[in-house]
Amino acid sequence: MKEADAFAALISTGHALAGAGLSPGTTGNISTRVGDRILVSGTGARLGALSNDDIAILTLNGERIVGAAPTKEAMLHVRAYAVRPEVTAVVHLHSPAALAVSCLADLPEASPLPCYTPYYAMKAGRVALVDYFPPGDERLAEASGTALRAADSLLLRRHGLVTIGPELASAVAAAEELEANADIHLRLAGRAADPLSPDDVAALPHWRNR
Ligand SMILES: [Zn+2]
């Protein structure tokens, strides 16, 4: 993808995520990798009003080449690309349901939510829980990078979600399904449920196995 196309894709993705109510206020940040450059939304940017001026271009090490001051969570994006070279998009949101479930006690680390629907498995893939660190803390970026070696999506404790994909559309679809599965979890409110079995999940395709 050309850089100009990547700017346009990032902007339309930001507008769509905000329009769907997944990026309250100025929360959330998104990025896409074009070759050895990372285009990431800027600090304080409102995804619903994202424009060319709100986007930073970084090296793969996270150094700013040009553009806006990057989001303070930029290193989380940098680490994701470092550990998953097949990935060209990272979405990070403080979406309401994911944020709410990230505050629940006793979430299992390896698979924090039951898999209620096949779409969750097919889009979000393997989901892991990451411990709480303050936003922008280097330890949060490190812990997220470590978790993404095995997982395809993250639930950040008391914070929100992170998804990745071989293109922006798949990272967005993963975020939407993680949010939907979190919403189902909240609506079920601890009632007896009948989620997919590990065998059901294993039989479903995910882009990782393309
Ligand atoms: Zn955040």
Short mmCIF file of all heavy atoms in Angstrom, two decimals, residues 111-140:
data_model
loop_
_atom_site.label_atom_id
_atom_site.label_comp_id
_atom_site.label_asym_id
_atom_site.label_seq_id
_atom_site.Cartn_x
_atom_site.Cartn_y
_atom_site.Cartn_z
N SER A 111 -7.09 -17.03 28.44
CA SER A 111 -8.29 -16.85 27.64
C SER A 111 -9.33 -16.17 28.53
O SER A 111 -10.18 -16.82 29.12
CB SER A 111 -8.78 -18.22 27.16
OG SER A 111 -9.87 -18.06 26.29
N PRO A 112 -9.24 -14.83 28.65
CA PRO A 112 -10.00 -14.14 29.69
C PRO A 112 -11.52 -14.25 29.57
O PRO A 112 -12.22 -14.18 30.58
CB PRO A 112 -9.54 -12.68 29.57
CG PRO A 112 -8.83 -12.58 28.27
CD PRO A 112 -8.34 -13.93 27.92
N LEU A 113 -12.03 -14.44 28.32
CA LEU A 113 -13.48 -14.52 28.14
C LEU A 113 -13.86 -15.86 27.51
O LEU A 113 -13.14 -16.36 26.64
CB LEU A 113 -13.96 -13.42 27.20
CG LEU A 113 -13.91 -11.98 27.70
CD1 LEU A 113 -14.30 -11.03 26.58
CD2 LEU A 113 -14.84 -11.81 28.90
N PRO A 114 -15.02 -16.44 27.89
CA PRO A 114 -15.52 -17.59 27.14
C PRO A 114 -15.76 -17.17 25.69
O PRO A 114 -16.02 -16.01 25.41
CB PRO A 114 -16.85 -17.91 27.84
CG PRO A 114 -16.78 -17.24 29.16
CD PRO A 114 -15.92 -16.03 28.98
N CYS A 115 -15.66 -18.13 24.78
CA CYS A 115 -15.91 -17.84 23.36
C CYS A 115 -17.39 -18.13 23.10
O CYS A 115 -17.78 -19.27 22.90
CB CYS A 115 -15.01 -18.73 22.50
SG CYS A 115 -15.22 -18.42 20.75
N TYR A 116 -18.21 -17.07 23.09
CA TYR A 116 -19.66 -17.27 22.97
C TYR A 116 -20.10 -17.52 21.54
O TYR A 116 -21.11 -18.18 21.30
CB TYR A 116 -20.41 -16.07 23.55
CG TYR A 116 -20.23 -15.91 25.04
CD1 TYR A 116 -19.53 -14.84 25.57
CD2 TYR A 116 -20.75 -16.86 25.91
CE1 TYR A 116 -19.35 -14.71 26.94
CE2 TYR A 116 -20.58 -16.73 27.29
CZ TYR A 116 -19.88 -15.65 27.79
OH TYR A 116 -19.69 -15.54 29.14
N THR A 117 -19.39 -16.93 20.58
CA THR A 117 -19.82 -17.08 19.17
C THR A 117 -18.62 -17.47 18.31
O THR A 117 -17.47 -17.13 18.64
CB THR A 117 -20.40 -15.77 18.60
OG1 THR A 117 -19.33 -14.84 18.42
CG2 THR A 117 -21.45 -15.17 19.52
N PRO A 118 -18.87 -18.12 17.16
CA PRO A 118 -17.75 -18.46 16.27
C PRO A 118 -17.03 -17.23 15.72
O PRO A 118 -15.84 -17.29 15.42
CB PRO A 118 -18.41 -19.27 15.15
CG PRO A 118 -19.87 -19.05 15.28
CD PRO A 118 -20.15 -18.67 16.69
N TYR A 119 -17.75 -16.10 15.62
CA TYR A 119 -17.14 -14.89 15.02
C TYR A 119 -15.99 -14.38 15.90
O TYR A 119 -14.99 -13.87 15.40
CB TYR A 119 -18.21 -13.81 14.81
CG TYR A 119 -19.39 -14.40 14.08
CD1 TYR A 119 -20.54 -14.74 14.76
CD2 TYR A 119 -19.28 -14.69 12.73
CE1 TYR A 119 -21.59 -15.35 14.10
CE2 TYR A 119 -20.32 -15.30 12.06
CZ TYR A 119 -21.48 -15.63 12.75
OH TYR A 119 -22.50 -16.25 12.10
N TYR A 120 -16.18 -14.51 17.20
CA TYR A 120 -15.12 -14.09 18.13
C TYR A 120 -13.85 -14.89 17.85
O TYR A 120 -12.76 -14.32 17.74
CB TYR A 120 -15.62 -14.34 19.56
CG TYR A 120 -14.65 -14.03 20.67
CD1 TYR A 120 -14.13 -12.74 20.85
CD2 TYR A 120 -14.27 -15.02 21.58
CE1 TYR A 120 -13.27 -12.46 21.89
CE2 TYR A 120 -13.42 -14.74 22.63
CZ TYR A 120 -12.91 -13.46 22.78
OH TYR A 120 -12.06 -13.19 23.82
N ALA A 121 -13.99 -16.20 17.70
CA ALA A 121 -12.82 -17.05 17.44
C ALA A 121 -12.20 -16.74 16.08
O ALA A 121 -10.98 -16.66 15.94
CB ALA A 121 -13.22 -18.52 17.51
N MET A 122 -13.05 -16.53 15.07
CA MET A 122 -12.53 -16.34 13.71
C MET A 122 -11.88 -14.98 13.52
O MET A 122 -10.95 -14.84 12.72
CB MET A 122 -13.67 -16.52 12.69
CG MET A 122 -14.14 -17.96 12.60
SD MET A 122 -15.25 -18.22 11.20
CE MET A 122 -16.72 -17.40 11.78
N LYS A 123 -12.35 -13.96 14.22
CA LYS A 123 -11.82 -12.60 14.03
C LYS A 123 -10.79 -12.22 15.09
O LYS A 123 -9.74 -11.67 14.76
CB LYS A 123 -12.97 -11.57 14.02
CG LYS A 123 -14.03 -11.82 12.98
CD LYS A 123 -13.46 -11.80 11.57
CE LYS A 123 -14.57 -11.98 10.54
NZ LYS A 123 -14.03 -12.14 9.18
N ALA A 124 -11.10 -12.47 16.36
CA ALA A 124 -10.19 -12.04 17.43
C ALA A 124 -9.06 -13.05 17.65
O ALA A 124 -8.00 -12.70 18.15
CB ALA A 124 -10.96 -11.82 18.73
N GLY A 125 -9.29 -14.31 17.28
CA GLY A 125 -8.24 -15.32 17.44
C GLY A 125 -7.96 -15.64 18.91
O GLY A 125 -8.87 -15.65 19.73
N ARG A 126 -6.69 -15.87 19.20
CA ARG A 126 -6.31 -16.14 20.60
C ARG A 126 -6.25 -14.83 21.36
O ARG A 126 -5.57 -13.89 20.94
CB ARG A 126 -4.94 -16.81 20.66
CG ARG A 126 -4.88 -18.15 19.97
CD ARG A 126 -3.50 -18.78 20.22
NE ARG A 126 -3.29 -19.90 19.34
CZ ARG A 126 -2.28 -20.01 18.46
NH1 ARG A 126 -1.36 -19.04 18.38
NH2 ARG A 126 -2.17 -21.05 17.69
N VAL A 127 -6.94 -14.77 22.49
CA VAL A 127 -7.02 -13.54 23.28
C VAL A 127 -6.31 -13.76 24.61
O VAL A 127 -6.50 -14.80 25.26
CB VAL A 127 -8.49 -13.14 23.52
CG1 VAL A 127 -8.57 -11.84 24.31
CG2 VAL A 127 -9.23 -13.01 22.18
N ALA A 128 -5.48 -12.80 25.00
CA ALA A 128 -4.77 -12.89 26.29
C ALA A 128 -5.04 -11.65 27.12
O ALA A 128 -5.39 -10.59 26.60
CB ALA A 128 -3.27 -13.04 26.05
N LEU A 129 -4.87 -11.80 28.43
CA LEU A 129 -5.05 -10.70 29.38
C LEU A 129 -3.68 -10.12 29.73
O LEU A 129 -2.73 -10.87 29.98
CB LEU A 129 -5.74 -11.24 30.63
CG LEU A 129 -6.09 -10.25 31.73
CD1 LEU A 129 -7.20 -9.32 31.28
CD2 LEU A 129 -6.50 -11.00 33.00
N VAL A 130 -3.58 -8.79 29.74
CA VAL A 130 -2.32 -8.12 30.11
C VAL A 130 -2.54 -7.35 31.41
O VAL A 130 -3.56 -6.65 31.55
CB VAL A 130 -1.86 -7.17 28.97
CG1 VAL A 130 -0.66 -6.33 29.41
CG2 VAL A 130 -1.53 -7.97 27.72
N ASP A 131 -1.61 -7.47 32.33
CA ASP A 131 -1.70 -6.80 33.63
C ASP A 131 -1.83 -5.29 33.49
O ASP A 131 -1.43 -4.72 32.48
CB ASP A 131 -0.42 -7.07 34.45
CG ASP A 131 -0.44 -8.46 35.06
OD1 ASP A 131 -1.54 -9.06 35.12
OD2 ASP A 131 0.63 -8.93 35.46
N TYR A 132 -2.29 -4.66 34.53
CA TYR A 132 -2.42 -3.21 34.53
C TYR A 132 -1.05 -2.52 34.66
O TYR A 132 -0.24 -2.89 35.52
CB TYR A 132 -3.31 -2.74 35.69
CG TYR A 132 -3.31 -1.24 35.79
CD1 TYR A 132 -4.08 -0.46 34.94
CD2 TYR A 132 -2.47 -0.59 36.71
CE1 TYR A 132 -4.03 0.91 34.99
CE2 TYR A 132 -2.42 0.80 36.76
CZ TYR A 132 -3.20 1.55 35.89
OH TYR A 132 -3.14 2.91 35.93
N PHE A 133 -0.83 -1.53 33.81
CA PHE A 133 0.25 -0.55 33.97
C PHE A 133 -0.34 0.79 33.53
O PHE A 133 -1.26 0.82 32.71
CB PHE A 133 1.46 -0.88 33.07
CG PHE A 133 2.15 -2.16 33.43
CD1 PHE A 133 1.96 -3.31 32.67
CD2 PHE A 133 2.97 -2.24 34.54
CE1 PHE A 133 2.58 -4.50 33.00
CE2 PHE A 133 3.61 -3.43 34.88
CZ PHE A 133 3.41 -4.57 34.12
N PRO A 134 0.20 1.90 34.02
CA PRO A 134 -0.37 3.20 33.61
C PRO A 134 -0.27 3.38 32.09
O PRO A 134 0.69 2.88 31.47
CB PRO A 134 0.52 4.22 34.33
CG PRO A 134 1.12 3.47 35.47
CD PRO A 134 1.28 2.06 35.00
N PRO A 135 -1.22 4.10 31.48
CA PRO A 135 -1.17 4.34 30.03
C PRO A 135 0.16 4.98 29.63
O PRO A 135 0.64 5.89 30.31
CB PRO A 135 -2.33 5.31 29.78
CG PRO A 135 -3.26 5.07 30.91
CD PRO A 135 -2.41 4.70 32.09
N GLY A 136 0.74 4.50 28.56
CA GLY A 136 2.00 5.06 28.08
C GLY A 136 3.23 4.49 28.77
O GLY A 136 4.36 4.77 28.36
N ASP A 137 3.03 3.70 29.84
CA ASP A 137 4.16 3.11 30.56
C ASP A 137 4.87 2.09 29.66
O ASP A 137 4.22 1.28 29.01
CB ASP A 137 3.62 2.42 31.82
CG ASP A 137 4.73 2.05 32.81
OD1 ASP A 137 5.66 1.33 32.42
OD2 ASP A 137 4.65 2.50 33.97
N GLU A 138 6.19 2.17 29.65
CA GLU A 138 6.98 1.24 28.83
C GLU A 138 6.67 -0.22 29.17
O GLU A 138 6.68 -1.09 28.30
CB GLU A 138 8.47 1.55 29.01
CG GLU A 138 9.42 0.61 28.28
CD GLU A 138 9.28 0.61 26.76
OE1 GLU A 138 8.74 1.60 26.21
OE2 GLU A 138 9.67 -0.38 26.13
N ARG A 139 6.35 -0.48 30.45
CA ARG A 139 6.05 -1.87 30.87
C ARG A 139 4.77 -2.39 30.21
O ARG A 139 4.64 -3.58 29.95
CB ARG A 139 5.93 -1.96 32.39
CG ARG A 139 7.26 -1.76 33.11
CD ARG A 139 7.05 -1.61 34.59
NE ARG A 139 6.29 -0.40 34.90
CZ ARG A 139 5.85 -0.06 36.10
NH1 ARG A 139 6.07 -0.86 37.13
NH2 ARG A 139 5.18 1.06 36.29
N LEU A 140 3.83 -1.48 29.94
CA LEU A 140 2.60 -1.90 29.26
C LEU A 140 2.92 -2.32 27.81
O LEU A 140 2.41 -3.34 27.33
CB LEU A 140 1.57 -0.76 29.26
CG LEU A 140 0.25 -1.07 28.56
CD1 LEU A 140 -0.49 -2.22 29.24
CD2 LEU A 140 -0.65 0.17 28.52
#
